[in-house]
Amino acid sequence: MKQTWRWFGPSDAISIGEIRQTGASGIVSALHHIPTGEAWSVEHIKERQQQIEQPGGVPSGLTWDVVESVPVSEAIKSQTGPMRQHIEAYKTSLRNLAECGIHTVCYNFMPVLDWTRTDLSHQLPNGGHAMRFDLVDFVVFDCFILCRKGAEQDYSAETVETAQARFADLGDGDRLKLSNNIVAGLPGANDNWSLEDVNRNLDAYVDVTPEMLRSNLVDFLSEVVPTAEDLGIRLCCHPDDPPFSLLGLPRVMSTQRDYATVLDAVDSPANGATLCTGSLGVAKDFDPVSFVTQLGHRIHFVHLRNTVRDGPSDNNRHSFSESEHLAGDTDMVATIRALVAEEKRRRDQGRSDHEIPMRPDHGHALLSDLTRPSQPGYPLIGRMRGLAELRGVIHGCI
């Protein structure tokens, strides 16, 4: 597997020089400074490539292998406003990326919010820190801070009562911190929304069912996949994180069945999956080996991380924490063994994409991570530990 590392660009506190020392050979990056819905120019793409491959004019030995992400706008997801212009801009971005030699593009189709956690720095027994999603804390936000209309109907009376009592015990500072954690969205993104912004964006999905959102996704793919296929680009959709509905919003990429439906609907090698074992693994019934066995030929990118279900749950929504890469609820050894077998099948078939790019996703903040700035979930030492552990498993499976 191609061992890659996520880098948020020149503003990232972790340098390309440090990434070289982790043993990674590829970079996963994006042009976060370009507003969602606008096309990425060849000039901007080549500038990022230079920052990766020739920082300070010195060859790094690293290449920009995966784009994560070319974001899909809310206009496209909800089929409102400047949807048509945004789709054309997306196609232009794909053409320009292909011109620069980049052919793997990750994206997601989660409306309004990206991955969601209630605590970005939960202290662990060993002194390290991890990200965590506490369901009761989320209900505190949904029902008593955001005050979303009808929110209390989404949870059991017992959960709402527990959340109300917790809300009453929180000071203003703790309420603000919880709100900021949840609204943070994707690290490195431009969007820093107020509560008013969140409610306004939620309004666009009041009447949107999961079936409608899935139809919108298929419509989007029907538009851009032919362009991607002509260019030799592999699009790969990241799963919902967490894989259940939040804030009353529909979710359409939360299960293996969801993926099979969308991949069958637009049946092209350019329409693929990002397998994120951490996101999908929050669900009790997720079987990563089955996912790889059934859909492996369409997996274009892999996030290897692990989560452990803990704390309160309600109506198939679970509290969970980011765990060590080889711990947690997902059998990482079995997952990697299946992925290595898929790579062998591809080599036997003569596929040029037989080496699947992967990255150690998220990680505990450990040692010097605790005293240096980094994006939430993306520390240096914690991810390097994860990469080393995953590398060992990969070698053991070859």
Side-chain angles (χ1 to χ4, degrees):
M1 302 181 75
K2 181 66 178 287
Q3 297 169 28
T4 65
W5 187 277
R6 189 167 192 180
W7 187 59
F8 292 96
S11 63
D12 198 320
I14 298 170
S15 70
I16 289 294
E18 288 175 309
I19 294 171
R20 288 187 65 190
Q21 297 178 49
T22 69
S25 58
I27 293 293
V28 177
S29 192
L31 304 183
H32 298 295
H33 59 286
I34 296 179
T36 299
E38 292 188 11
W40 293 10
S41 69
V42 169
E43 178 184 7
H44 282 123
I45 295 167
K46 287 187 174 180
E47 180 183 24
R48 178 55 52 86
Q49 284 182 309
Q50 188 276 330
Q51 292 164 347
I52 291 169
E53 299 175 7
Q54 298 272 341
V58 179
S60 68
L62 298 170
T63 53
W64 187 3
D65 294 309
V66 180
V67 174
E68 187 180 354
S69 303
V70 179
V72 180
S73 70
E74 291 302 313
I76 293 174
K77 293 172 187 174
S78 60
Q79 292 196 350
T80 57
M83 175 191 71
R84 178 53 52 191
Q85 299 95 297
H86 288 185
I87 288 177
E88 292 307 313
Y90 208 97
K91 293 178 183 178
T92 298
S93 296
L94 296 182
R95 294 187 188 98
N96 292 341
L97 285 164
E99 182 176 335
C100 296
I102 302 172
H103 292 94
T104 303
V105 177
C106 177
Y107 70 98
N108 75 67
F109 216 77
M110 288 178 272
V112 183
L113 294 176
D114 208 290
W115 60 257
T116 304
R117 303 291 185 271
T118 57
D119 191 342
L120 305 182
S121 188
H122 175 71
Q123 185 159 346
L124 301 168
N126 66 0
H129 291 177
M131 295 200 298
R132 187 167 189 275
F133 177 88
D134 184 282
L135 182 62
V136 172
D137 282 345
F138 187 83
V139 178
V140 168
F141 170 79
D142 193 10
C143 293
F144 304 108
I145 297 177
L146 183 65
C147 298
R148 177 174 63 89
K149 184 178 180 180
E152 295 183 13
Q153 299 173 17
D154 286 353
Y155 312 101
S156 69
E158 180 182 1
T159 298
V160 173
E161 183 178 352
T162 302
Q164 187 170 25
R166 186 174 296 180
F167 173 73
D169 288 339
L170 293 178
D172 291 341
D174 290 330
R175 294 176 185 180
L176 179 60
K177 181 178 180 181
L178 174 61
S179 179
N180 288 341
N181 287 347
I182 292 172
V183 180
L186 179 67
N190 295 331
D191 301 325
N192 294 301
W193 289 342
S194 67
L195 297 181
E196 292 75 17
D197 293 330
V198 174
N199 272 313
R200 184 174 63 254
N201 280 275
L202 290 176
D203 287 344
Y205 293 92
V206 167
D207 297 319
V208 178
T209 64
E211 293 74 22
M212 293 168 64
L213 184 64
R214 182 176 294 108
S215 177
N216 293 354
L217 171 56
V218 171
D219 287 346
F220 165 68
L221 291 171
S222 298
E223 288 272 2
V224 301
V225 163
T227 299
E229 187 169 347
D230 288 344
L231 297 167
I233 280 183
R234 297 173 289 274
L235 295 170
C236 40
C237 190
H238 187 283
D240 303 324
D241 184 9
F244 44 75
S245 176
L246 297 174
L247 303 178
L249 292 165
R251 297 290 217 191
V252 295
M253 296 300 274
S254 294
T255 67
Q256 180 176 325
R257 182 175 181 179
D258 288 339
Y259 272 93
T261 298
V262 171
L263 296 182
D264 286 346
V266 184
D267 190 8
S268 164
N271 179 28
T274 296
L275 169 59
C276 179
T277 55
S279 300
L280 293 168
V282 170
K284 287 184 177 180
D285 58 354
F286 174 60
D287 183 344
V289 174
S290 174
F291 193 102
V292 176
T293 301
Q294 299 300 317
L295 303 177
H297 62 295
R298 301 281 280 276
I299 294 174
H300 298 323
F301 184 33
V302 177
H303 290 179
L304 294 177
R305 67 179 174 90
N306 224 323
T307 53
V308 58
R309 292 179 291 275
D310 58 13
S313 63
D314 185 324
N315 192 26
N316 290 322
R317 299 182 182 93
H318 311 284
S319 300
F320 63 91
S321 298
E322 304 277 1
S323 68
E324 297 173 4
H325 285 78
L326 301 187
D329 294 320
T330 295
D331 186 338
M332 195 63 71
V333 174
T335 303
I336 291 174
R337 186 181 296 117
L339 288 166
V340 168
E342 170 59 25
E343 287 188 317
K344 182 179 184 303
R345 281 191 291 272
R346 294 184 183 193
R347 286 193 298 272
D348 292 344
Q349 294 166 1
R351 285 178 54 167
S352 61
D353 63 340
H354 58 83
E355 187 177 42
I356 303 172
M358 73 80 167
R359 67 175 178 85
D361 194 15
H362 297 179
H364 292 173
L366 305 171
L367 304 172
S368 60
D369 291 332
L370 299 172
T371 57
R372 67 178 291 176
S374 64
Q375 299 283 357
Y378 292 92
L380 175 59
I381 303 301
R383 278 190 292 165
M384 185 167 64
R385 173 186 173 178
L387 179 59
E389 292 174 342
L390 296 169
R391 183 183 296 131
V393 175
I394 291 169
H395 281 290
C397 291
I398 294 175

